[in-house]
Amino acid sequence: MASPEERRRIVLNAIVEDYVATREPVGSKAVVERHGLTVSPATIRNDMAQLEEAGLIVQPYTSAGRIPTDAGYRVFVDSLADIKPLSLGERRAIERMLQGAVDLDDVLDRAVRLLAQITQQVAVVQYPSLRRTALRHVELIALSKRMILIVMITDAGRVEQRTFETDSSVSDADLEAIRGAVNEHLTGLQLDGLGKVSDRLLDDSPDRLREVTRKITQLVRQTLLNEVEERVVVAGTGNLSRYNVEFHHSIAPILDVLEEQVVLMKLLASQGEGLHVRIGHEIDAKELSETSVISSGYGNSSDQTIANLGIIGPTRMDYRGAISSVHAIANYLSEILRLN
C-alpha cells in the first residue's frame, strides 16, 4: 500500500493527466474511478486539501473539482523519470520527412512544421549559430578578373556567400593557390580559433597574394561574427487559436512575442545541456505567463550544442508527449548534421 506522501503524488499526477485530457476540473470520485485507487473518495479529498494547501492544485470555483497550478505542473514534470519513446510509425514519419530535405533551410523548415504538427503547439527552431560552428570548406569563384565570390560552408550545413573586388586582377592559378591555402589553414576552425591561424596564413602567403588573402580571411571572420544571421523559424501559430479558451487574457501579446526574433532565441536558450521545461511564471516574459516552453539543444556532435528548438503552448498541455517530440526532433536534427 502506498504511503500518504506517495498517494498524494499519484493524486496530483492523476489530476494533471485528467485535466490535460478533459479540460474539466477533476473531482475525488473521478480520481478513484479512473485510476483504480483502492481508497475512498473521502481520503482523496483529504489528499486534495493538502495538495491545495501546498499550492499545487486549486479549486477554480465553488463545488468544482481541482486543477493544477504552475507549481503543480512543475512537480508533475519533474516526476517524469523517463522520456516516452515515440511509436514506430511516428519515428518512421519523422525520418521520411527530414531525410528527404535537400539543404539546411529545407531541413529546418521541415523540422519546425513537423514539430508543430506532432505537438499541436507553436514550434520554433533556431538556425545553427555561425559562432558555434566550424568551417568545413571555403570555395573561391572568379566572377570576373577582379570580382571574387567567397562561398563558406560550415559543418552544420550552412552556406554563406560574400563577394569582393580586388585591387588588381587575380589569375586562375593564383586563385587556386589561395583556395588551397585557406582551406588548409582554416578548415575545422571555429571563430575563436581563426585569429592566430589567419595571421600565420598571411605570413606564409607570397607577397603578391597577401592582400587578397587578407581580404578573404577578413570576410570569413566578419561573416562568423555577424549577429544578423542569428534567427529562428516558427510554425503552428494557428494552433494558438485552438487554445484560445485556455488563456484568461487575449492571445494577441503572445502573437506579438512570436514576431520578436531576439525574444524567441532567449526563450530557447538552454540552461545547460539537455532538455528544459519552463512553466508559466518561470518564463522571463510576462506576455507568456500562461504558457509553457519546452526546449532542447541540437548539435553536430554528441557534446556540442549549436542551436536550440522547442515549442510554446498553454500550461495545460500533454507534457509527456510534447517532451518526447521535442527530444526526438532534436536528436534527428543532430543526426542529420553529423551525417552531412
Side-chain angles (χ1 to χ4, degrees):
M1 181 178 296
S3 67
E5 182 179 348
E6 175 67 12
R7 190 181 63 244
R8 285 192 291 274
R9 185 191 65 78
I10 294 172
V11 170
L12 174 62
N13 288 357
I15 291 172
V16 171
E17 291 172 351
D18 288 357
Y19 181 62
V20 166
T22 68
R23 201 182 167 269
E24 295 293 333
V26 182
S28 57
K29 184 178 179 182
V31 170
V32 171
E33 293 177 348
R34 292 173 185 166
H35 298 271
L37 301 185
T38 58
V39 296
S40 67
T43 299
I44 299 302
R45 284 195 294 273
N46 181 62
D47 290 335
M48 285 181 167
Q50 294 190 52
L51 290 170
E52 189 168 6
E53 185 176 347
L56 302 180
I57 60 175
V58 67
Q59 189 175 33
Y61 49 86
T62 305
S63 301
R66 304 300 193 273
I67 64 175
T69 63
D70 288 356
Y73 283 124
R74 167 52 60 195
V75 172
F76 172 79
V77 168
D78 289 346
S79 73
L80 299 177
D82 299 305
I83 296 176
K84 182 184 74 173
L86 298 182
S87 69
L88 179 60
E90 289 172 325
R91 294 199 303 273
R92 285 178 174 172
I94 292 174
E95 289 172 359
R96 285 195 302 269
M97 183 73 166
L98 295 184
Q99 290 179 355
V102 297
D103 56 25
L104 181 65
D105 289 339
D106 195 16
V107 167
L108 298 186
D109 181 66
R110 289 172 183 238
V112 74
R113 288 189 287 111
L114 187 60
L115 187 55
Q117 179 182 343
I118 293 174
T119 63
Q120 291 297 294
Q121 308 293 353
V122 178
V124 186
V125 177
Q126 179 188 10
Y127 265 73
S129 171
L130 290 181
R131 287 171 173 265
R132 287 176 283 181
T133 55
L135 282 173
R136 175 183 293 171
H137 183 72
V138 177
E139 186 61 44
L140 304 178
I141 301 171
L143 301 178
S144 67
K145 287 295 184 181
R146 295 176 56 186
M147 186 67 67
I148 297 175
L149 171 66
I150 307 176
V151 181
M152 292 155 278
I153 305 172
T154 74
D155 59 357
R158 288 202 60 170
V159 179
E160 295 290 327
Q161 299 182 11
R162 299 291 186 273
T163 59
F164 76 98
E165 187 173 5
T166 62
D167 294 332
S168 59
S169 62
V170 179
S171 69
D172 292 341
D174 284 345
L175 193 62
E176 181 64 31
I178 296 172
R179 179 191 298 112
V182 167
N183 281 295
E184 179 183 350
H185 284 77
L186 304 187
T187 295
L189 295 180
Q190 292 183 314
L191 175 64
D192 56 4
L194 288 178
K196 292 182 179 179
V197 176
S198 297
D199 292 341
R200 289 199 298 271
L201 170 59
L202 293 179
D203 290 340
D204 294 342
S205 298
D207 290 343
R208 73 178 191 283
L209 303 180
R210 189 164 296 162
E211 182 60 22
V212 176
T213 304
R214 184 190 65 78
K215 286 187 176 181
I216 291 171
T217 56
Q218 186 179 55
L219 277 173
V220 170
R221 294 184 66 186
Q222 287 176 346
T223 300
L224 295 181
L225 276 168
N226 189 3
E227 289 288 351
V228 176
E229 50 77 30
E230 300 284 5
R231 60 191 176 99
V232 298
V233 285
V234 180
T237 52
N239 288 330
L240 281 178
S241 62
R242 298 174 55 247
Y243 300 108
N244 194 33
V245 293
E246 305 288 341
F247 305 106
H248 293 100
H249 306 291
S250 167
I251 65 173
I254 301 175
L255 293 174
D256 289 341
V257 168
L258 296 178
E259 297 292 328
E260 297 292 334
Q261 294 273 312
V262 174
V263 175
L264 289 179
M265 284 188 288
K266 184 178 179 182
L267 282 176
L268 291 181
S270 297
Q271 302 165 3
E273 296 299 320
L275 188 144
H276 300 276
V277 181
R278 279 163 286 178
I279 301 169
H281 290 87
E282 296 173 357
I283 302 171
D284 188 22
K286 63 180 181 180
E287 299 89 349
L288 301 179
S289 62
E290 295 183 79
T291 71
S292 289
V293 176
I294 301 176
S295 62
S296 175
Y298 68 91
N300 52 7
S301 66
S302 59
D303 59 353
Q304 182 187 37
T305 293
I306 60 174
N308 302 283
L309 60 83
I311 62 169
I312 303 169
T315 54
R316 188 189 73 89
M317 71 164 63
D318 174 14
Y319 287 96
R320 289 184 192 273
I323 288 171
S324 297
S325 299
V326 169
H327 177 73
I329 297 296
N331 281 347
Y332 276 109
L333 275 183
S334 297
E335 183 177 340
I336 289 172
L337 293 181
R338 285 195 292 269
L339 292 175
N340 284 339

